[in-house]
């Protein structure tokens, strides 16, 4: 039975970067009929905020990424304390008292000597009396996990065979001096106790994975399958880390991006499969294969979301937008026709507002000087509305007859006079929607 989890820290809203993690874990579980857990990593009481917990849930619901179970780390602190005791008993956990400044100094020295900045384990050789003295002077220390200095290996679902020399990694701090449990151990305890079988996360977690594998083994748990997806970059390959804040899902939603457009892009970006618009979650699930993802950084361009959104909207039945169109104030008898005319001429649903405004109030006419007399003559021949599907044909036939103009010379000045634009939907379809013709008055 497959069990995956998405484990955001509620210190901000979900952005396109962590959406990828959420989606991959969701799709893996869904594809095999397994369980998808939403795990809130809120062991940091300072930085975790309830508004972000709510925000994360809203964003996942908007996307349709439904979780089967929700867990909160802040409610499981006793489990982590138990695991810490176990590690202590095994001699795999030790207290260290260096201040951040001291650690920094050690790192600088090592780097100067061309050595990797790995914690030197000085605390391991402290006697009980020395520890007592340090504790009296500085308060409690941090607790570090004592890594076995051997190679840590796993077959990564995306990166392939990974081998990391534990000697090149500092013994990780699992509990802070103030007693706060850190993510590294909390995550391991949860993954083990919740029966997580597959963990997909960003490649910034590769070193964590190495240390977590040893902690899982020490605690007697089963090591899940790990896969690390590449990090997103901007369209030019530039780092996105600073811009991710502006790529929050709620901002994209405000901009009118449709969930299926976003999911369709993110489910394929960075894989060998082409990006194709999917309109149903079931199709996304069916077409997802983690094996097709590569290790190279993945370029993300927010602009790609808009053509996909437009395509998604084009395919929507009237019923799906009926309420939204009614809310604009479009009269009921025009609503279906309004949608038929606008659906292929919008990028997001927000564009409907502008279209209706134009039909309701009339557009500012655009009339070139050389067409002024012609347009005036034509408008005099236009009967009062309302118009129907034949009105445009009848009118332009009459204008042609009266003026002798034809083709583009006939139609373009009229389109521009009525809509203010040189392009747009078929005028025969547009005319019945026009509630006002500014050029005529
Ligand atoms: N809370 C961690 C993060 O957001 C979870 C990482 C993981 O998936 O294990 O980075």
């Amino acid at each position: 039975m497959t069990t995956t989890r998405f484990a955001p820290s509620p210190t901000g809203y979900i952005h396109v970067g962590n959406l990828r993690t959420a989606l991959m874990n969701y799709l893996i579980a869904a594809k095999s009929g397994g369980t998808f857990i939403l795990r809130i990593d809120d062991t940091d009481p300072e930085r975790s905020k309830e508004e972000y917990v709510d925000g994360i849930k809203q964003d996942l619901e908007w996307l349709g990424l439904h979780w089967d179970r929700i867990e909160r780390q802040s409610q499981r602190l006793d489990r982590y304390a138990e695991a810490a005791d176990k590690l202590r008993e095994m001699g795999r956990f030790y207290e260290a008292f260096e201040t951040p400044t001291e650690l920094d100094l050690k790192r600088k020295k090592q780097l100067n000597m061309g050595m990797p900045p790995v914690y030197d384990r000085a605390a391991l050789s402290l006697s009980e009396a020395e520890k007592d003295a340090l504790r009296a002077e500085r308060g409690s220390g941090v607790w570090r996990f004592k890594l076995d200095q051997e190679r840590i290996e796993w077959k990564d679902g995306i990166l392939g065979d990974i081998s990391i020399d534990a000697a090149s990694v500092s013994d990780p701090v699992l509990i802070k001096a103030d007693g706060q449990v850190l993510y590294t151990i909390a995550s391991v305890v949860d993954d083990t106790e919740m029966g997580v079988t597959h963990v997909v996360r960003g490649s910034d977690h590769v070193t964590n994975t190495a240390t977590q594998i040893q902690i899982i083994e020490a605690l007697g748990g089963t090591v899940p399958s790990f896969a690390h997806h590449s990090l997103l970059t901007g369209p030019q390959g530039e780092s996105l880390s600073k811009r991710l804040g502006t790529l929050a899902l709620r901002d994209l939603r405000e901009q009118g991006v449709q969930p299926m457009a976003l999911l369709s892009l993110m489910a394929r970006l960075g894989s060998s499969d082409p990006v194709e618009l999917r309109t149903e979650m079931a199709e996304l699930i069916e077409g997802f294969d983690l094996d097709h993802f590569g290790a190279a950084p993945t370029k993300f361009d927010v602009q790609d979301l808009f053509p996909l959104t437009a395509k998604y909207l084009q395919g929507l039945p009237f019923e799906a937008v009926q309420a939204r169109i009614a809310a604009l104030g479009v009269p009921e008898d025009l609503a279906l026709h309004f949608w038929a005319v606008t659906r292929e001429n919008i990028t997001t649903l927000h564009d409907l507002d502008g279209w209706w405004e134009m039909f309701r109030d009339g557009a500012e006419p655009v009339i070139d000087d050389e067409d002024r007399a012609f347009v005036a003559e034509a408008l005099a021949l236009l009967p009062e509305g309302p118009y129907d599907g034949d009105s445009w044909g009848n009118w332009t036939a009459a204008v042609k007859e009266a003026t002798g103009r034809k083709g583009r010379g006939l139609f373009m000045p009229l389109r521009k006079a009525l809509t203010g634009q040189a392009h747009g939907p078929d005028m025969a379809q547009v005319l019945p929607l026009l509630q006002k013709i500014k050029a005529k008055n």
Side-chain angles (χ1 to χ4, degrees), residues 5-11 18 21 25 39-42 73 183 187 191 199-202 204-205 208-209 212 226:
R5 82 313 192 265
F6 172 50
S9 306
T11 54
N18 36 32
T21 311
N25 284 293
R39 190 184 84 200
I40 305 293
D41 283 7
D42 55 353
Q73 292 196 323
Y183 146 80
S187 183
D191 287 342
V199 173
V200 182
R201 54 192 179 192
D204 48 336
H205 280 289
N208 273 340
T209 296
Q212 287 185 341
F226 285 101

Side-chain angles (χ1 to χ4, degrees), residues 377-385 387 391 395 399 418 431 437 440:
E377 191 179 348
L379 287 173
L381 291 169
L382 178 63
E384 287 302 319
Y387 305 106
S391 304
W395 177 44
V399 174
L418 264 51
L431 199 50
I437 295 173
K440 202 168 155 60

